[in-house]
Amino acid sequence: MNSFHYSDERFADLQLLRYRLNGFEQLTLRQKELVFYLSKAALFGRDITFDQFGRYNLRIRKMLEAVYTDLRVEPDTDDFRALTVYLKRLWFSSGIYHHYGCEKFVPGFTPDFLRRAVGTVEPSRLPLAEGQTVGQLCQELFPVIFQPDVLPKRVNKADGADLLLTSACHFYEGVSQQEAEDFYAAQKAASSTDEPPSVGLNTTLVKAADGTLSEVRWTTSSRYANALRHIVYWLQKAAGVAETENQRKTIELLIEYYHTGDLHLFDEYSIQWLQTLDTQVDFINGFIEVYGDPLGLKGSWEGLVEYVDEEATRRTQLISQNAQWFEDHSPVDPRFRKPTVRGVTARVICAAMLGGDEYPSTAIGINLPNADWIRARYGSKSITISNITDAYNKAAHGNGFKEEFVIDEATLTLINKYGDACDNLHTDLHECLGHGSGQLLPGVDPDALKAYGNTIEEARADLFALYYLADDKLVELGLLPDGSAYQSEYYTYMMNGLMTQLVRIEPGRQIEEAHMRNRSLIAHWCLEHGQCMQLVQRQGKTYLHISDYPVLRTLVARLLAEIQRIKSEGDYEAARLLVEQYAVKVDPVLHDEVLDRYRKLNLAPYKGFINPWLLPVTDAQGNIVDIQVNYFESYEHQMLRYSTEYGTLI
């Protein structure tokens, strides 16, 4: 399709991109049909994610969509234009909180404007509770939208605060942090086993009027039932065209888990999924990652449909085949290494559909399952998403960012020569080996690091990848052309952790997102503990100068050893001190400078994706004969269509 383009709409701090389904036409009809059914299952979880990210999100979305689409609202006003941007941001973030920073959006329109606009909408199109008037709806929702002190953050990780009572995410109802921690500690103690379930992963913890706590499971007969029934319907269709018996069994186990909410079934499904390697098409569907919960227990719903990028997968397979060598030569204490690395598999894939917490903003690499005991006993499955990375790279080409922040021409030349290859390889090492490396000591609770666990885990995987990027083994395997290529990744990684990721932080705020904290931790720790890199001033601007890359690698090794010790021993206090000292704080003077320099480039710091529209082509009898890929749906049309077609919970 010659007219395909990667870049699309911009608003606020966001840019929407498109990704191409490279090689999709080479799939068989059965595989295309499988992708289509799995894609429908991925999209039907959208409302779950909205509700998980804030209990008022779905009703605010429906109210604003009704205003936005109602012809009686005058579009030629500053208030309406501001509402349009607010709604687009809400769509992007699955709610009224920034998808990365978690702070509540500040509306650029007035309460009076919105009240008048809502009054013009047919009441049947509004999310009115039973017996509720339009005025009462405004009384209920307006404080959430307009008052800064009402549910101000989706996820709060501030040290010393009650992380549940100060977070707006909808995984707990009326429950304090201490109550939740005690509740789940008792569950773990009662089910002491060497195959511990991921307690709390798929439930809402609720406090009754008498103070008792109970869990409401997310199943086809309980909370989120309507959405999950639709997901199950399309999964059943997918099972009917599964590529192999292993894949069919995987899908059927997931369906049974959705019916029951049984976490032991989820573990059985996870093991079956990671061992299903005989297919071209694969998927992720469920309550998976726990970054949206301040306690790191509850899984946000996400969906991803994928198919193998055969050529690029040769790279990850080579890494996987040498997993034991990497584990054996890791600079961590031998007690914390795995004696035998099992089941490490990795693929480079093309995303075919993004859903839930993976849409519109998505990861570029994923390693699952998350349960430590499954990783130790059965291994893990890793993916790197080539068409998403390709879209990012093409959008960044020639935008002036590197020229503004890289210290000199020689370093810029190095990055231009090796940067894309090293970025991809860093992601591969992070996902394929980093997350799967190391082991907990016997008896250590996988959740011992509590709110700091996600940051420590991401730092561990990044450090593992950084350490081995500089190893001669990668040149020996033909994964890097020479022994200096790794320097491009070291420079851009440290520059990002110290400086450039600050463009994603509002003035006066600290760093809260786990991946950003991880990068800040690594970069600031290395800056403090060695003389091999410094922040220097040149012509009134701050730059990173790295004088000795081999010494920097020794610092990476030291920090990796300590981070692995913290993880393996469950040393909560050491994790807390490390994160709070190096990962959280922002230098306000440097922050202002970076923001000013970035502002002049007129770039959007965050990017996300518009999904392709998969359309079945049928014959006269209604049989699917092909799946057509349409790349030209607008962001607005896609979001409104999704709210109509996949709106199951309101």
Side-chain angles (χ1 to χ4, degrees):
M1 193 173 290
N2 293 331
S3 57
F4 181 88
H5 60 100
Y6 288 88
S7 297
D8 206 84
E9 184 174 351
R10 277 191 59 177
F11 54 89
D13 56 357
L14 301 165
Q15 180 181 9
L16 273 300
L17 308 176
R18 298 181 188 272
Y19 60 97
R20 185 165 187 165
L21 273 57
N22 301 311
F24 182 79
E25 64 280 359
Q26 304 302 319
L27 298 180
T28 67
L29 176 58
R30 186 183 181 94
Q31 289 168 335
K32 290 179 181 178
E33 197 172 350
L34 176 61
V35 167
F36 175 71
Y37 294 145
L38 290 173
S39 294
K40 298 290 279 187
L43 294 173
F44 264 110
R46 181 174 184 251
D47 276 7
I48 298 176
T49 309
F50 268 85
D51 184 77
Q52 290 179 321
F53 286 3
R55 67 192 309 166
Y56 297 99
N57 283 337
L58 284 170
R59 299 180 71 212
I60 291 173
R61 188 189 80 193
K62 185 169 184 176
M63 179 179 70
L64 295 184
E65 286 175 345
V67 169
Y68 181 71
T69 56
D70 198 299
L71 296 179
R72 286 171 288 180
V73 175
E74 277 294 331
D76 258 346
T77 66
D78 289 340
D79 276 323
F80 190 83
R81 281 187 285 271
L83 180 140
T84 300
V85 172
Y86 185 93
L87 179 57
K88 288 181 177 181
R89 298 183 76 187
L90 180 152
W91 285 332
F92 190 96
S93 298
S94 297
I96 63 173
Y97 301 92
H98 195 282
H99 74 289
Y100 221 76
C102 293
E103 65 273 5
K104 187 164 69 173
F105 299 140
V106 177
F109 51 92
T110 66
D112 285 344
F113 161 77
L114 184 58
R115 186 174 288 105
R116 290 195 305 272
V118 171
T120 69
V121 175
E122 169 62 39
S124 63
R125 296 172 55 208
L126 294 171
L128 298 173
E130 187 174 355
Q132 189 178 43
T133 67
V134 174
Q136 289 169 336
L137 175 72
C138 293
Q139 282 185 322
E140 180 187 10
L141 298 185
F142 277 34
V144 183
I145 296 172
F146 292 103
Q147 292 184 22
D149 58 341
V150 176
L151 302 175
K153 297 201 69 173
R154 176 167 67 88
V155 181
N156 182 31
K157 293 187 177 181
D159 189 33
D162 186 307
L163 301 187
L164 298 193
L165 296 181
T166 58
S167 294
C169 55
H170 193 197
F171 298 116
Y172 306 88
E173 294 182 0
V175 182
S176 72
Q177 179 179 348
Q178 191 61 56
E179 288 172 329
E181 289 177 347
D182 291 345
F183 181 87
Y184 287 115
Q187 275 200 10
K188 291 176 183 179
S191 63
S192 181
T193 172
D194 60 354
E195 297 182 0
S198 302
V199 296
L201 182 71
N202 62 338
T203 63
T204 305
L205 186 60
V206 178
K207 186 176 182 178
D210 63 1
T212 58
L213 302 184
S214 62
E215 290 184 292
V216 181
R217 284 186 175 184
W218 306 332
T219 71
T220 55
S221 59
S222 187
R223 186 160 295 191
Y224 304 139
N226 195 35
L228 290 170
R229 287 172 190 153
H230 282 82
I231 292 168
V232 163
Y233 171 83
W234 289 103
L235 288 175
Q236 289 169 334
K237 300 276 283 184
V241 293
E243 294 182 73
T244 66
E245 182 62 20
N246 282 331
Q247 188 175 63
R248 183 191 61 77
K249 184 178 179 182
T250 299
I251 296 171
E252 289 176 348
L253 281 169
L254 179 59
I255 290 170
E256 189 176 356
Y257 162 64
Y258 278 147
H259 285 319
T260 65
D262 185 338
L263 288 172
H264 295 289
L265 259 179
F266 177 68
D267 289 339
E268 187 179 345
Y269 154 75
S270 298
I271 294 166
Q272 176 68 27
W273 172 81
L274 75 88
Q275 292 180 334
T276 300
L277 304 171
D278 52 353
T279 65
Q280 183 81 351
V281 177
D282 205 351
F283 69 98
I284 295 169
N285 188 294
F287 307 107
I288 308 293
E289 301 294 355
V290 296
Y291 299 104
D293 174 10
L295 298 188
L297 297 174
K298 308 293 180 183
S300 301
W301 196 93
E302 66 180 69
L304 172 68
V305 186
E306 65 194 61
Y307 57 94
V308 176
D309 181 335
E310 297 281 6
E311 183 177 349
T313 292
R314 297 189 189 98
R315 180 182 73 233
T316 55
Q317 287 177 339
L318 188 57
I319 292 171
S320 300
Q321 290 162 6
N322 288 273
Q324 190 66 59
W325 185 93
F326 287 105
E327 184 76 2
D328 292 343
H329 291 81
S330 171
V332 307
D333 189 314
R335 294 181 302 141
F336 308 142
R337 299 180 195 151
K338 285 179 178 171
T340 304
V341 178
R342 304 180 190 277
V344 175
T345 60
R347 290 175 165 183
V348 178
I349 60 97
C350 284
M353 192 61 63
L354 309 173
D357 200 14
E358 290 293 336
Y359 167 80
S361 177
T362 184
I364 58 174
I366 298 171
N367 177 272
L368 292 173
N370 288 325
D372 284 289
W373 72 267
I374 295 179
R375 290 175 181 273
R377 193 169 305 174
Y378 297 98
S380 61
K381 188 190 288 187
S382 300
I383 58 169
T384 304
I385 311 177
S386 62
N387 57 340
I388 295 295
T389 302
D390 186 51
Y392 278 132
N393 290 342
K394 285 182 168 58
H397 181 71
N399 65 10
F401 175 81
K402 290 182 289 188
E403 288 78 5
E404 173 60 37
F405 287 101
V406 174
I407 190 168
D408 54 35
E409 194 64 35
T411 307
L412 184 60
T413 299
L414 181 80
I415 293 168
N416 287 334
K417 184 176 181 180
Y418 298 117
D420 287 352
C422 284
D423 278 348
N424 290 336
L425 195 52
H426 182 270
T427 301
D428 293 339
L429 290 166
H430 173 110
E431 300 294 349
C432 302
L433 302 182
H435 281 306
S437 66
Q439 63 180 354
L440 300 179
L441 293 184
V444 172
D445 182 352
D447 299 317
L449 304 183
K450 301 180 181 179
Y452 299 102
N454 291 332
T455 297
I456 292 297
E457 176 57 23
E458 291 303 325
R460 192 176 71 90
D462 261 0
L463 287 162
F464 191 98
L466 288 168
Y467 177 75
Y468 278 114
L469 266 177
D471 201 284
D472 291 340
K473 185 71 172 180
L474 296 191
V475 178
E476 175 191 323
L477 292 173
L479 294 169
L480 287 179
D482 58 57
S484 64
Y486 79 92
Q487 296 175 12
S488 68
E489 184 68 15
Y490 271 40
Y491 190 90
T492 54
Y493 188 95
M494 297 299 171
M495 179 180 73
N496 190 30
L498 294 170
M499 293 176 54
T500 53
Q501 73 171 1
L502 296 179
V503 302
R504 297 182 165 192
I505 303 290
E506 292 186 3
R509 294 190 181 274
Q510 295 186 328
I511 302 172
E512 301 216 23
E513 198 277 334
H515 297 80
M516 293 183 71
R517 282 187 167 190
N518 138 51
R519 293 187 288 266
S520 179
L521 189 162
I522 292 171
H524 284 96
W525 189 94
C526 290
L527 183 70
E528 181 177 304
H529 285 80
Q531 299 301 312
C532 57
M533 68 178 193
Q534 306 86 31
L535 290 176
V536 300
Q537 294 290 318
R538 293 192 178 177
Q539 297 180 329
K541 295 180 179 180
T542 305
Y543 295 93
L544 171 65
H545 173 62
I546 300 180
S547 56
D548 196 323
Y549 285 94
V551 170
L552 180 54
R553 190 195 184 207
T554 66
L555 294 177
V556 167
R558 281 175 53 193
L559 184 55
L560 174 57
E562 173 61 6
I563 291 281
Q564 182 63 62
R565 183 200 67 77
I566 289 171
K567 169 89 172 181
S568 295
E569 295 181 349
D571 190 342
Y572 171 82
E573 188 59 25
R576 188 187 71 81
L577 291 173
L578 203 57
V579 172
E580 293 297 335
Q581 182 172 354
Y582 295 105
V584 177
K585 300 178 182 65
V586 174
D587 178 341
V589 176
L590 178 61
H591 191 194
D592 286 345
E593 178 198 326
V594 169
L595 289 174
D596 182 62
R597 291 164 67 182
Y598 191 81
R599 194 177 298 115
K600 292 173 181 176
L601 297 173
N602 193 31
L603 301 175
Y606 300 99
K607 296 177 175 61
F609 293 89
I610 300 171
N611 278 326
W613 192 352
L614 301 184
L615 300 166
V617 180
T618 58
D619 61 18
Q621 289 72 44
N623 300 310
I624 294 178
V625 295
D626 198 6
I627 301 295
Q628 182 185 79
V629 183
N630 185 311
Y631 294 111
F632 301 109
E633 186 175 26
S634 71
Y635 175 68
E636 170 194 328
H637 187 276
Q638 183 160 106
M639 289 300 184
L640 290 172
R641 179 171 67 86
Y642 282 6
S643 292
T644 300
E645 289 186 20
Y646 305 107
T648 56
L649 299 182
I650 191 168

